[in-house]
Amino acid sequence: MSLDATNNPMAKQAPKDEVDPESLVGLESGGSVTVVYGILVVLFALGCSAASMAELSSVYPTAGGPYHWASILAPKKYHRVISYACAAFNIYGWLSICVGVTVQIGTFVNGMRVFYNPSLDLPVWHNFLYYQATNIVILLYNIFALRRTQWIHSLGAVFSLAAFVAVFVTSLSRAESYSSSSFVWTYYPGHEWTWDSRGLVFLTGMANPNFMYAGIDGAIHLAEECTDATTTVPRALFSSIVIGFFTAFPFVIAMLYCLTDIDKVMEDLTGVPIYEIWYQATRSREAATVFVTCLLMVALFALNACQEVASRLTWAFARDNALVGSKLFGHINKRLKVPVWALAGNALVIFIIGCIQLGSSTAFEAFVGSGMLLQQCGFAIPVALLLWHKRSDQVLARNRNVRLGPFGWLANIVTVLFAILVTVMYCFPVRLPVTGGNMNYTAAVVGVMAIFAVVNWFIHANRNFQGPRLQGGFLH
């Protein structure tokens, strides 16, 4: 996507058509109960979040999205600080999502290598090189080729849907036997190393199905590049939720029915547990490998979109003079018509974060895992302010394209409550007893991010960042 106008809603988001393969690891702690019903909980919570943002975007379609809405809706005395905090959540969330998708490429490649050579011992730096190479290649594509190949997002959407159908049909038709319905719908392992409370295990494991809706606000940050944004952006938000659910939920159910030996899945050495499930379903190494290759391609399409969207958010923040080096990061290259420095700056951050995996995989995974928490907090801030305004017509134009009516109150309240829930639950360790090796460092990672945000505030943003406001009913 370049900065030219387009009216293709499918180009405004990363593909959501395949459930993240790591979600099946939730079987190890919470069983199928967490995987299956977690999707339903996430559907409701993120559906409310998407509906809330669709309503706001139908009134205020800007590239800044949530942090612009926060600036508009917050009390005048505090609007700069609140908007800045929301932007920090949003930007860090998108960088975490980019990191999480980038690392999958090397994981899939190494998974295929180990699948055919189980005794192969792969050092960490192999995955590190795949990670950095993927980051650089996608960066170069976004800078030099994306504007000329705007159809790439549509191709990614079609390919991911086609891959979903192929995997779904082949797995079910090739399976010799199926798991019992009790396993699919009620299996809970109850290991001694998990929490005693099933509810707590369920809530901590919900981060896995949550990942299938990573980046649902992508369309919002491209609002200034599409025609009729007040209609196109809400449609893209709703389509993300609908397509995501009607592909992910049947996919998970089908894979659980095709899973015949859960012990082998738990003993997986490839780093891609679904590889073994596909092998059990198809009884073919070649078919399973083709499916993993399809998953790798979907990840590349998704990463391409993620880098694009993240750069637009950084560019918008720099355009508002909120970053050190804003003149550079807020610049659009006249020839390439993309924010080159915003793309390069994000890629540099992704590069640096990738180096962490050489020292501590636990810290690196914590950064990846923080994405869902940061994303939801970014959504909740403007929605909470909308509730503070009692959803008044003074801030929500009566003639807006999306009117939630009475459901708006429920959607807004659920969005805020879910942010509070994930802020607590996604910081809980999954394994007991807690050690330095299995500790959940998400809170520490968010704390480090906050330090950088505070430093930037006092060095630059406090003097220069203003944020948009409503004056006389008009946006300024």
Side-chain angles (χ1 to χ4, degrees):
M1 174 70 63
S2 70
L3 293 182
D4 292 337
T6 177
N7 196 38
N8 179 7
M10 294 305 295
K12 308 297 190 295
Q13 56 201 307
K16 301 291 185 297
D17 314 301
E18 291 280 5
V19 67
D20 177 61
E22 294 299 321
S23 67
L24 288 162
V25 177
L27 286 170
E28 187 178 13
S29 56
S32 60
V33 170
T34 298
V35 177
V36 173
Y37 300 106
I39 291 179
L40 298 178
V41 173
V42 168
L43 168 70
F44 176 68
L46 271 296
C48 288
S49 299
S52 298
M53 291 189 291
E55 188 172 44
L56 283 166
S57 64
S58 72
V59 181
Y60 310 110
T62 72
Y67 87 85
H68 274 177
W69 304 335
S71 177
I72 294 165
L73 299 172
K76 185 176 181 179
K77 184 178 180 180
Y78 306 106
H79 82 97
R80 295 195 309 125
V81 173
I82 294 174
S83 176
Y84 182 84
C86 183
F89 280 121
N90 214 188
I91 292 173
Y92 284 140
W94 269 100
L95 288 173
S96 297
I97 291 169
C98 287
V99 169
V101 181
T102 303
V103 75
Q104 288 184 3
I105 307 304
T107 300
F108 294 149
V109 173
N110 282 335
M112 287 186 274
R113 295 172 64 189
V114 172
F115 185 70
Y116 287 97
N117 299 279
S119 61
L120 192 62
D121 185 17
L122 296 176
V124 177
W125 62 265
H126 281 210
N127 204 52
F128 169 79
L129 292 180
Y130 286 127
Y131 174 96
Q132 302 297 9
T134 302
N135 180 36
I136 293 171
V137 169
I138 297 297
L139 167 66
L140 295 176
Y141 186 88
N142 262 271
I143 292 176
F144 297 107
L146 188 56
R147 181 174 176 270
R148 302 175 184 177
T149 56
Q150 295 184 12
W151 43 263
I152 196 70
H153 295 306
S154 296
L155 176 62
V158 171
F159 179 85
S160 55
L161 283 171
F164 158 73
V165 173
V167 172
F168 183 83
V169 173
T170 304
S171 296
L172 287 177
S173 62
R174 286 280 298 170
E176 279 189 328
S177 60
Y178 301 98
S179 297
S180 65
S181 292
S182 61
F183 170 81
V184 174
W185 300 99
T186 64
Y187 171 68
Y188 178 80
H191 295 296
E192 60 181 10
W193 46 260
T194 58
W195 298 94
D196 292 334
S197 169
R198 290 193 178 191
L200 192 56
V201 172
F202 179 86
L203 292 173
T204 56
M206 203 165 56
N208 291 306
N210 196 166
F211 193 77
M212 79 179 191
Y213 285 127
I216 61 170
D217 59 322
I220 295 170
H221 305 298
L222 296 172
E224 297 174 32
E225 303 176 42
C226 65
T227 57
D228 194 16
T230 57
T231 300
T232 304
V233 172
R235 285 178 179 174
L237 285 164
F238 287 126
S239 69
S240 294
I241 297 297
V242 173
I243 295 174
F245 175 73
F246 282 104
T247 53
F249 190 71
F251 177 82
V252 165
I253 299 302
M255 294 307 104
L256 288 173
Y257 271 110
C258 291
L259 195 164
T260 55
D261 190 341
I262 191 171
D263 291 334
K264 286 187 177 180
V265 175
M266 295 300 105
E267 295 169 1
D268 173 73
L269 300 175
T270 66
V272 188
I274 201 170
Y275 210 150
E276 174 62 29
I277 296 177
W278 283 334
Y279 178 52
Q280 290 181 18
T282 63
R283 292 166 287 114
S284 168
R285 287 177 175 267
E286 292 74 18
T289 303
V290 169
F291 292 166
V292 173
T293 303
C294 289
L295 202 57
L296 186 153
M297 294 299 298
V298 170
L300 286 173
F301 283 122
L303 179 59
N304 188 46
C306 286
Q307 279 204 13
E308 177 189 10
V309 172
S311 71
R312 286 2 179 224
L313 180 55
T314 301
W315 165 74
F317 203 42
R319 183 183 59 178
D320 290 333
N321 202 11
L323 289 172
V324 173
S326 285
K327 290 184 178 179
L328 191 66
F329 296 121
H331 175 70
I332 298 291
N333 186 284
K334 292 182 179 179
R335 182 175 65 87
L336 299 171
K337 296 184 179 180
V338 295
V340 173
W341 289 106
L343 280 161
N346 284 352
L348 177 61
V349 173
I350 295 169
F351 183 95
I352 293 171
I353 294 170
C355 296
I356 297 175
Q357 61 184 307
L358 292 175
S360 171
S361 60
T362 303
F364 179 78
E365 290 167 4
F367 191 95
V368 174
S370 68
M372 299 303 95
L373 183 157
L374 295 165
Q375 172 183 267
Q376 192 62 34
C377 288
F379 298 165
I381 291 175
V383 174
L385 292 169
L386 183 60
L387 288 171
W388 178 70
H389 280 282
K390 299 180 181 178
R391 295 180 49 80
S392 169
D393 289 340
Q394 292 180 344
V395 294
L396 283 178
R398 292 185 179 183
N399 61 344
R400 61 188 183 274
N401 290 325
V402 177
R403 298 181 63 89
L404 298 180
F407 174 72
W409 284 97
L410 175 63
N412 295 165
I413 292 171
V414 169
T415 299
V416 175
L417 292 180
F418 190 65
I420 297 172
L421 178 68
V422 301
T423 299
V424 176
M425 289 298 121
Y426 291 2
C427 292
F428 268 66
V430 176
R431 290 179 174 271
L432 297 176
V434 179
T435 65
N438 63 26
M439 178 62 186
N440 187 338
Y441 291 98
T442 298
V445 168
V446 173
V448 172
M449 294 177 182
I451 291 173
F452 283 104
V454 169
V455 170
N456 180 72
W457 172 261
F458 284 107
I459 291 178
H460 181 85
N462 187 37
R463 299 189 306 272
N464 300 285
F465 175 64
Q466 296 302 320
R469 294 291 290 171
L470 281 180
Q471 296 180 16
F474 296 96
L475 187 61
H476 293 267

